[in-house]
Short mmCIF file of all heavy atoms in Angstrom, two decimals:
data_model
loop_
_atom_site.label_atom_id
_atom_site.label_comp_id
_atom_site.label_asym_id
_atom_site.label_seq_id
_atom_site.Cartn_x
_atom_site.Cartn_y
_atom_site.Cartn_z
N ILE A 23 0.83 -1.21 0.00
CA ILE A 23 0.00 0.00 0.00
C ILE A 23 0.86 1.26 0.00
O ILE A 23 0.60 2.20 -0.74
CB ILE A 23 -0.96 -0.01 1.20
CG1 ILE A 23 -2.10 -0.97 0.91
CG2 ILE A 23 -1.49 1.37 1.53
CD1 ILE A 23 -3.04 -1.18 2.08
N ARG A 24 1.91 1.28 0.82
CA ARG A 24 2.79 2.45 0.86
C ARG A 24 3.45 2.69 -0.50
O ARG A 24 3.52 3.83 -0.97
CB ARG A 24 3.87 2.28 1.93
CG ARG A 24 3.41 2.68 3.30
CD ARG A 24 4.57 2.73 4.30
NE ARG A 24 4.15 2.07 5.52
CZ ARG A 24 4.33 0.80 5.83
NH1 ARG A 24 4.97 0.00 5.03
NH2 ARG A 24 3.88 0.31 6.96
N LEU A 25 3.89 1.61 -1.14
CA LEU A 25 4.53 1.76 -2.45
C LEU A 25 3.53 2.25 -3.50
O LEU A 25 3.81 3.18 -4.24
CB LEU A 25 5.18 0.44 -2.88
CG LEU A 25 5.94 0.47 -4.20
CD1 LEU A 25 7.04 1.54 -4.21
CD2 LEU A 25 6.55 -0.90 -4.49
N LEU A 26 2.36 1.64 -3.55
CA LEU A 26 1.33 2.09 -4.50
C LEU A 26 0.94 3.54 -4.23
O LEU A 26 0.76 4.33 -5.17
CB LEU A 26 0.09 1.19 -4.40
CG LEU A 26 0.25 -0.27 -4.85
CD1 LEU A 26 -1.01 -1.06 -4.56
CD2 LEU A 26 0.62 -0.35 -6.33
N ASN A 27 0.82 3.89 -2.97
CA ASN A 27 0.47 5.25 -2.57
C ASN A 27 1.56 6.24 -3.00
O ASN A 27 1.26 7.30 -3.55
CB ASN A 27 0.25 5.30 -1.05
CG ASN A 27 -0.61 6.44 -0.63
OD1 ASN A 27 -1.55 6.81 -1.31
ND2 ASN A 27 -0.30 7.00 0.53
N ASN A 28 2.82 5.88 -2.78
CA ASN A 28 3.94 6.73 -3.19
C ASN A 28 4.00 6.90 -4.71
O ASN A 28 4.44 7.93 -5.20
CB ASN A 28 5.28 6.17 -2.70
CG ASN A 28 5.44 6.33 -1.21
OD1 ASN A 28 4.76 7.13 -0.57
ND2 ASN A 28 6.34 5.55 -0.63
N GLN A 29 3.56 5.88 -5.42
CA GLN A 29 3.56 5.94 -6.88
C GLN A 29 2.28 6.59 -7.43
O GLN A 29 2.06 6.62 -8.63
CB GLN A 29 3.72 4.54 -7.46
CG GLN A 29 5.06 3.93 -7.16
CD GLN A 29 5.18 2.49 -7.64
OE1 GLN A 29 4.20 1.79 -7.88
NE2 GLN A 29 6.41 2.03 -7.77
N LYS A 30 1.45 7.08 -6.51
CA LYS A 30 0.20 7.77 -6.87
C LYS A 30 -0.76 6.87 -7.65
O LYS A 30 -1.51 7.33 -8.51
CB LYS A 30 0.47 9.05 -7.67
CG LYS A 30 1.47 9.99 -7.05
CD LYS A 30 0.87 10.77 -5.94
CE LYS A 30 1.81 11.86 -5.45
NZ LYS A 30 2.22 11.73 -4.08
N LYS A 31 -0.73 5.58 -7.36
CA LYS A 31 -1.64 4.65 -8.03
C LYS A 31 -2.96 4.59 -7.27
O LYS A 31 -3.01 4.81 -6.07
CB LYS A 31 -1.02 3.25 -8.10
CG LYS A 31 0.18 3.24 -9.02
CD LYS A 31 0.57 1.85 -9.40
CE LYS A 31 1.71 1.91 -10.40
NZ LYS A 31 2.18 0.60 -10.74
N ILE A 32 -4.01 4.29 -8.01
CA ILE A 32 -5.34 4.17 -7.43
C ILE A 32 -5.54 2.71 -7.02
O ILE A 32 -5.26 1.80 -7.81
CB ILE A 32 -6.42 4.60 -8.44
CG1 ILE A 32 -6.22 6.06 -8.82
CG2 ILE A 32 -7.81 4.36 -7.88
CD1 ILE A 32 -7.03 6.50 -10.02
N PHE A 33 -5.99 2.50 -5.80
CA PHE A 33 -6.19 1.14 -5.32
C PHE A 33 -7.26 1.11 -4.23
O PHE A 33 -7.50 2.10 -3.54
CB PHE A 33 -4.89 0.53 -4.80
CG PHE A 33 -4.32 1.27 -3.61
CD1 PHE A 33 -4.66 0.90 -2.31
CD2 PHE A 33 -3.45 2.33 -3.79
CE1 PHE A 33 -4.15 1.57 -1.23
CE2 PHE A 33 -2.93 3.02 -2.70
CZ PHE A 33 -3.28 2.63 -1.41
N ASP A 34 -7.88 -0.04 -4.10
CA ASP A 34 -8.78 -0.34 -3.00
C ASP A 34 -8.08 -1.39 -2.15
O ASP A 34 -7.18 -2.08 -2.63
CB ASP A 34 -10.11 -0.91 -3.51
CG ASP A 34 -10.88 0.08 -4.37
OD1 ASP A 34 -10.77 1.29 -4.12
OD2 ASP A 34 -11.59 -0.37 -5.28
N CYS A 35 -8.50 -1.49 -0.90
CA CYS A 35 -7.87 -2.48 -0.03
C CYS A 35 -8.87 -3.01 0.99
O CYS A 35 -9.93 -2.41 1.21
CB CYS A 35 -6.65 -1.89 0.67
SG CYS A 35 -6.99 -0.46 1.70
N TRP A 36 -8.48 -4.14 1.60
CA TRP A 36 -9.36 -4.75 2.60
C TRP A 36 -8.57 -5.70 3.49
O TRP A 36 -7.60 -6.32 3.06
CB TRP A 36 -10.48 -5.52 1.93
CG TRP A 36 -11.47 -6.08 2.92
CD1 TRP A 36 -11.58 -7.36 3.36
CD2 TRP A 36 -12.48 -5.33 3.60
NE1 TRP A 36 -12.60 -7.46 4.27
CE2 TRP A 36 -13.16 -6.23 4.44
CE3 TRP A 36 -12.86 -4.00 3.59
CZ2 TRP A 36 -14.22 -5.84 5.26
CZ3 TRP A 36 -13.91 -3.61 4.40
CH2 TRP A 36 -14.58 -4.52 5.22
N ASP A 37 -9.00 -5.77 4.73
CA ASP A 37 -8.57 -6.80 5.66
C ASP A 37 -9.81 -7.20 6.43
O ASP A 37 -10.62 -6.34 6.78
CB ASP A 37 -7.49 -6.27 6.61
CG ASP A 37 -6.78 -7.40 7.34
OD1 ASP A 37 -7.39 -8.04 8.24
OD2 ASP A 37 -5.62 -7.67 7.01
N ASP A 38 -9.97 -8.49 6.68
CA ASP A 38 -11.16 -8.96 7.38
C ASP A 38 -11.21 -8.50 8.83
O ASP A 38 -12.29 -8.44 9.42
CB ASP A 38 -11.24 -10.49 7.32
CG ASP A 38 -11.46 -10.99 5.91
OD1 ASP A 38 -12.08 -10.26 5.10
OD2 ASP A 38 -11.05 -12.13 5.61
N ASN A 39 -10.07 -8.14 9.38
CA ASN A 39 -9.99 -7.71 10.77
C ASN A 39 -10.23 -6.20 10.87
O ASN A 39 -9.46 -5.39 10.33
CB ASN A 39 -8.62 -8.07 11.34
CG ASN A 39 -8.49 -7.81 12.81
OD1 ASN A 39 -8.97 -6.80 13.33
ND2 ASN A 39 -7.81 -8.71 13.50
N LYS A 40 -11.28 -5.81 11.57
CA LYS A 40 -11.67 -4.40 11.70
C LYS A 40 -10.57 -3.57 12.38
O LYS A 40 -10.29 -2.45 11.98
CB LYS A 40 -12.96 -4.31 12.50
CG LYS A 40 -13.55 -2.92 12.58
CD LYS A 40 -14.88 -2.94 13.31
CE LYS A 40 -15.48 -1.55 13.37
NZ LYS A 40 -16.78 -1.55 14.03
N LYS A 41 -9.92 -4.15 13.38
CA LYS A 41 -8.84 -3.44 14.09
C LYS A 41 -7.65 -3.17 13.16
O LYS A 41 -7.06 -2.10 13.19
CB LYS A 41 -8.38 -4.24 15.31
CG LYS A 41 -7.36 -3.54 16.15
CD LYS A 41 -7.01 -4.34 17.38
CE LYS A 41 -5.96 -3.61 18.20
NZ LYS A 41 -5.56 -4.35 19.39
N VAL A 42 -7.34 -4.14 12.32
CA VAL A 42 -6.25 -3.99 11.35
C VAL A 42 -6.58 -2.87 10.36
O VAL A 42 -5.72 -2.05 10.02
CB VAL A 42 -5.95 -5.32 10.63
CG1 VAL A 42 -4.99 -5.13 9.47
CG2 VAL A 42 -5.42 -6.35 11.61
N ARG A 43 -7.83 -2.82 9.90
CA ARG A 43 -8.24 -1.74 8.99
C ARG A 43 -8.11 -0.38 9.67
O ARG A 43 -7.64 0.59 9.08
CB ARG A 43 -9.69 -1.95 8.52
CG ARG A 43 -9.87 -3.10 7.57
CD ARG A 43 -11.23 -3.10 6.87
NE ARG A 43 -12.37 -2.98 7.75
CZ ARG A 43 -13.04 -4.01 8.28
NH1 ARG A 43 -12.65 -5.24 8.02
NH2 ARG A 43 -14.08 -3.80 9.05
N TYR A 44 -8.52 -0.32 10.94
CA TYR A 44 -8.43 0.93 11.70
C TYR A 44 -6.97 1.39 11.79
O TYR A 44 -6.66 2.56 11.54
CB TYR A 44 -9.03 0.74 13.10
CG TYR A 44 -8.76 1.90 14.03
CD1 TYR A 44 -9.50 3.07 13.94
CD2 TYR A 44 -7.74 1.83 14.97
CE1 TYR A 44 -9.23 4.15 14.77
CE2 TYR A 44 -7.47 2.89 15.80
CZ TYR A 44 -8.21 4.05 15.70
OH TYR A 44 -7.93 5.11 16.53
N LEU A 45 -6.07 0.47 12.15
CA LEU A 45 -4.65 0.82 12.28
C LEU A 45 -4.04 1.21 10.93
O LEU A 45 -3.23 2.14 10.86
CB LEU A 45 -3.87 -0.34 12.89
CG LEU A 45 -4.20 -0.65 14.35
CD1 LEU A 45 -3.53 -1.94 14.80
CD2 LEU A 45 -3.79 0.51 15.25
N ALA A 46 -4.44 0.53 9.87
CA ALA A 46 -3.95 0.87 8.53
C ALA A 46 -4.35 2.29 8.15
O ALA A 46 -3.55 3.07 7.65
CB ALA A 46 -4.47 -0.12 7.51
N ASN A 47 -5.61 2.62 8.43
CA ASN A 47 -6.11 3.96 8.10
C ASN A 47 -5.46 5.02 8.97
O ASN A 47 -5.33 6.17 8.56
CB ASN A 47 -7.63 4.00 8.25
CG ASN A 47 -8.25 5.09 7.42
OD1 ASN A 47 -7.88 5.28 6.27
ND2 ASN A 47 -9.18 5.81 8.00
N LYS A 48 -5.05 4.65 10.15
CA LYS A 48 -4.35 5.58 11.05
C LYS A 48 -2.97 5.93 10.48
O LYS A 48 -2.54 7.07 10.56
CB LYS A 48 -4.22 4.94 12.43
CG LYS A 48 -3.83 5.87 13.52
CD LYS A 48 -3.92 5.16 14.86
CE LYS A 48 -3.51 6.10 15.97
NZ LYS A 48 -3.54 5.43 17.27
N HIS A 49 -2.29 4.92 9.89
CA HIS A 49 -0.96 5.14 9.31
C HIS A 49 -1.03 5.81 7.95
O HIS A 49 -0.16 6.61 7.60
CB HIS A 49 -0.21 3.83 9.19
CG HIS A 49 0.19 3.25 10.51
ND1 HIS A 49 1.11 3.83 11.35
CD2 HIS A 49 -0.23 2.14 11.15
CE1 HIS A 49 1.24 3.12 12.44
NE2 HIS A 49 0.43 2.08 12.35
N ILE A 50 -2.03 5.46 7.17
CA ILE A 50 -2.21 6.05 5.84
C ILE A 50 -3.66 6.51 5.74
O ILE A 50 -4.55 5.71 5.42
CB ILE A 50 -1.88 5.05 4.71
CG1 ILE A 50 -0.45 4.54 4.88
CG2 ILE A 50 -2.07 5.70 3.35
CD1 ILE A 50 -0.08 3.44 3.90
N PRO A 51 -3.91 7.77 6.02
CA PRO A 51 -5.30 8.28 6.00
C PRO A 51 -5.95 8.17 4.62
O PRO A 51 -5.27 8.14 3.60
CB PRO A 51 -5.15 9.74 6.41
CG PRO A 51 -3.81 9.86 7.03
CD PRO A 51 -2.96 8.79 6.41
N LYS A 52 -7.25 8.09 4.63
CA LYS A 52 -8.08 8.10 3.42
C LYS A 52 -7.89 6.87 2.54
O LYS A 52 -7.99 6.95 1.31
CB LYS A 52 -7.85 9.38 2.61
CG LYS A 52 -8.20 10.65 3.38
CD LYS A 52 -7.98 11.86 2.54
CE LYS A 52 -8.28 13.10 3.38
NZ LYS A 52 -7.96 14.33 2.68
N LEU A 53 -7.64 5.72 3.16
CA LEU A 53 -7.60 4.49 2.38
C LEU A 53 -9.00 4.15 1.92
O LEU A 53 -9.98 4.42 2.61
CB LEU A 53 -7.04 3.34 3.23
CG LEU A 53 -5.55 3.38 3.53
CD1 LEU A 53 -5.17 2.27 4.49
CD2 LEU A 53 -4.74 3.28 2.25
N ASN A 54 -9.09 3.57 0.76
CA ASN A 54 -10.39 3.20 0.19
C ASN A 54 -10.64 1.71 0.47
O ASN A 54 -10.17 0.85 -0.27
CB ASN A 54 -10.40 3.49 -1.31
CG ASN A 54 -11.79 3.46 -1.87
OD1 ASN A 54 -12.77 3.53 -1.15
ND2 ASN A 54 -11.88 3.31 -3.18
N PHE A 55 -11.38 1.44 1.55
CA PHE A 55 -11.66 0.06 1.93
C PHE A 55 -12.87 -0.46 1.17
O PHE A 55 -13.93 0.15 1.17
CB PHE A 55 -11.95 -0.04 3.43
CG PHE A 55 -10.76 0.25 4.29
CD1 PHE A 55 -10.72 1.39 5.07
CD2 PHE A 55 -9.67 -0.60 4.32
CE1 PHE A 55 -9.63 1.67 5.87
CE2 PHE A 55 -8.57 -0.34 5.12
CZ PHE A 55 -8.55 0.80 5.89
N LYS A 56 -12.68 -1.60 0.50
CA LYS A 56 -13.78 -2.27 -0.20
C LYS A 56 -13.64 -3.76 0.02
O LYS A 56 -12.61 -4.35 -0.31
CB LYS A 56 -13.77 -1.96 -1.70
CG LYS A 56 -14.22 -0.56 -2.01
CD LYS A 56 -14.54 -0.42 -3.47
CE LYS A 56 -15.01 1.01 -3.71
NZ LYS A 56 -15.15 1.28 -5.12
N LYS A 57 -14.69 -4.35 0.56
CA LYS A 57 -14.70 -5.79 0.77
C LYS A 57 -14.73 -6.49 -0.59
O LYS A 57 -15.26 -5.96 -1.56
CB LYS A 57 -15.93 -6.16 1.60
CG LYS A 57 -15.88 -7.53 2.18
CD LYS A 57 -17.01 -7.73 3.17
CE LYS A 57 -16.87 -9.08 3.84
NZ LYS A 57 -17.86 -9.30 4.87
N ILE A 58 -14.16 -7.68 -0.64
CA ILE A 58 -14.14 -8.44 -1.89
C ILE A 58 -15.56 -8.68 -2.37
O ILE A 58 -16.42 -9.11 -1.61
CB ILE A 58 -13.43 -9.79 -1.70
CG1 ILE A 58 -11.94 -9.55 -1.53
CG2 ILE A 58 -13.67 -10.70 -2.88
CD1 ILE A 58 -11.17 -10.82 -1.33
N ASN A 59 -15.79 -8.36 -3.62
CA ASN A 59 -17.09 -8.54 -4.23
C ASN A 59 -16.88 -9.36 -5.50
O ASN A 59 -16.13 -8.96 -6.39
CB ASN A 59 -17.68 -7.16 -4.57
CG ASN A 59 -19.01 -7.23 -5.23
OD1 ASN A 59 -19.23 -8.03 -6.14
ND2 ASN A 59 -19.91 -6.37 -4.81
N LYS A 60 -17.52 -10.52 -5.58
CA LYS A 60 -17.31 -11.43 -6.72
C LYS A 60 -17.59 -10.77 -8.06
O LYS A 60 -16.95 -11.07 -9.06
CB LYS A 60 -18.18 -12.68 -6.56
CG LYS A 60 -17.72 -13.59 -5.47
CD LYS A 60 -18.61 -14.79 -5.35
CE LYS A 60 -18.19 -15.66 -4.17
NZ LYS A 60 -19.05 -16.80 -3.99
#
């Protein structure tokens, strides 16, 4: 995520653990969380 973010790439991300998502967003604000959709 940090590398994609530094390269200004557009991406969505997800982790099944809510606490992990919270911590990720704390380190890199404005992450676009999207659960896997078939």
